[in-house]
Amino acid sequence: MDFQPPERSKREAMQKSECHRDVQLRNRVTDNCDQRTSSSAQIKHRTIVQQRKSSSSTSSPESARKLHPRPSDKLNPKTVNPFGEQSRAPSAFAAIYSKGGVPCRLVHGSVKHRLQWECPPEKLPFDPLLITLAEGLRETKHPYTFVSKEGFRELLLVTGALEKAVPLLPRLIPVLKAALVHLDDEVFERGLNALVQLSVVVGPSLNDHLKHLLTSLSRRLRDKKFKEPITTALQKLEQHGGSGSLIIIKSKIPTYCSIYC
């Protein structure tokens, strides 16, 4: 039996220990690689499954319509979704219009839009339709802006509009005032035009209510871009309201010059 010096035995033992540690380290590295490869494969599988589900759900005609709505859907009251993102808190007019409460629909042409009434406007009751349309003047989204503005104008053109509109003035004036004090310039312009249209129909009957509207007009006169349209509107109010309207206008807007001066 050969004799091995103690030092040689120690070196061999250390070498064996190091070899054992190397083998363990390689095994751990291999295990980690296997785990990462497995996790990567699982993630890739889940991604492919999700993509297949997404493509199958968006391939249906109904899903395609939701993703790419037709322009005409915005114009048809039956397709206006009151729970959609664009109208989560619908106004009173939007809610009524969406339910078909306004008896007309928007017909859009290549040049301009028009309204098509379900029956001749002269056969429609002004109460509450005229007030509802006046409420819609404060809308800022299509198609409500056009329907309210054009519907209000066309309703006042029918035969017998004077007799139907005058009893509604106490309820109409606060609604028109709300449009005239609105911060949106286009809403104000629609309210101003509606006021003139109403004046043409009811004439001096509007004088008792003018004082409630002139304050907002006086404030807007400070804006140069509204000076001309407001002055023109005041002239129309005087023209159709007679001498009594001039006194009321001058009391609220002293700088106004009569059309008869």
Side-chain angles (χ1 to χ4, degrees):
M1 182 174 181
D2 296 334
F3 173 76
Q4 294 182 352
E7 294 181 357
R8 182 177 178 183
S9 298
K10 289 181 180 180
R11 284 197 300 271
E12 289 179 351
M14 291 176 61
Q15 289 176 354
K16 289 181 180 180
S17 176
E18 290 177 356
C19 290
H20 181 68
R21 284 198 300 271
D22 289 343
V23 171
Q24 290 180 333
L25 179 61
R26 282 196 298 271
N27 289 338
R28 284 199 296 270
V29 171
T30 303
D31 290 341
N32 290 337
C33 290
D34 292 341
Q35 290 176 358
R36 285 197 295 269
T37 302
S38 176
S39 299
S40 177
Q42 291 176 356
I43 293 173
K44 184 179 294 185
H45 176 72
R46 285 197 298 268
T47 303
I48 294 174
V49 171
Q50 291 174 353
Q51 289 176 347
R52 288 176 179 175
K53 290 182 178 179
S54 176
S55 61
S56 62
S57 63
T58 57
S59 61
S60 64
E62 183 177 356
S63 300
R65 282 196 298 271
K66 291 181 180 179
L67 292 174
H68 305 286
R70 297 170 298 181
S72 58
D73 288 344
K74 298 180 180 180
L75 309 176
N76 185 352
K78 294 183 179 179
T79 60
V80 176
N81 180 11
F83 302 104
E85 182 178 356
Q86 74 279 8
S87 54
R88 290 186 176 178
S91 63
F93 179 82
I96 293 173
Y97 180 76
S98 299
K99 295 177 182 177
V102 180
C104 65
R105 67 183 183 89
L106 181 60
V107 179
H108 54 288
S110 57
V111 179
K112 63 179 182 179
H113 305 320
R114 65 180 180 85
L115 292 182
Q116 181 173 322
W117 296 89
E118 295 178 1
C119 64
E122 56 269 14
K123 295 183 179 181
L124 295 172
F126 275 33
D127 187 5
L129 182 56
L130 188 65
I131 298 173
T132 300
L133 292 169
E135 289 275 4
L137 296 173
R138 300 200 305 274
E139 295 292 335
T140 57
K141 295 181 180 179
H142 188 76
Y144 312 127
T145 52
F146 180 84
V147 172
S148 59
K149 174 186 69 175
E150 187 64 17
F152 188 88
R153 185 188 72 84
E154 292 186 13
L155 207 57
L156 288 176
L157 293 177
V158 305
T159 303
L162 171 62
E163 293 77 10
K164 294 180 180 180
V166 169
L168 299 178
L169 287 178
R171 294 158 59 194
L172 267 177
I173 297 307
V175 177
L176 290 179
K177 181 179 178 181
L180 292 174
V181 300
H182 203 282
L183 297 177
D184 189 285
D185 290 346
E186 293 184 359
V187 172
F188 170 77
E189 290 174 350
R190 287 194 292 271
L192 186 63
N193 291 332
L195 175 60
V196 172
Q197 294 160 5
L198 184 63
S199 173
V200 173
V201 174
V202 301
S205 298
L206 187 61
N207 291 347
D208 292 339
H209 308 277
L210 273 183
K211 60 183 179 180
H212 302 294
L213 304 172
L214 293 175
T215 302
S216 57
L217 297 186
S218 177
R219 291 172 182 167
R220 289 276 186 164
L221 271 173
R222 301 169 189 171
D223 192 334
K224 292 182 178 180
K225 65 182 176 182
F226 290 120
K227 185 174 182 179
E228 183 176 347
I230 290 177
T231 301
T232 302
L234 292 173
Q235 292 172 345
K236 295 290 186 182
L237 293 175
E238 180 189 358
Q239 177 185 350
H240 300 289
S243 58
S245 64
L246 177 60
I247 298 174
I248 300 171
I249 294 173
K250 292 286 286 186
S251 67
K252 294 293 184 180
I253 308 176
T255 57
Y256 172 73
C257 296
S258 173
I259 56 176
Y260 299 109
C261 291

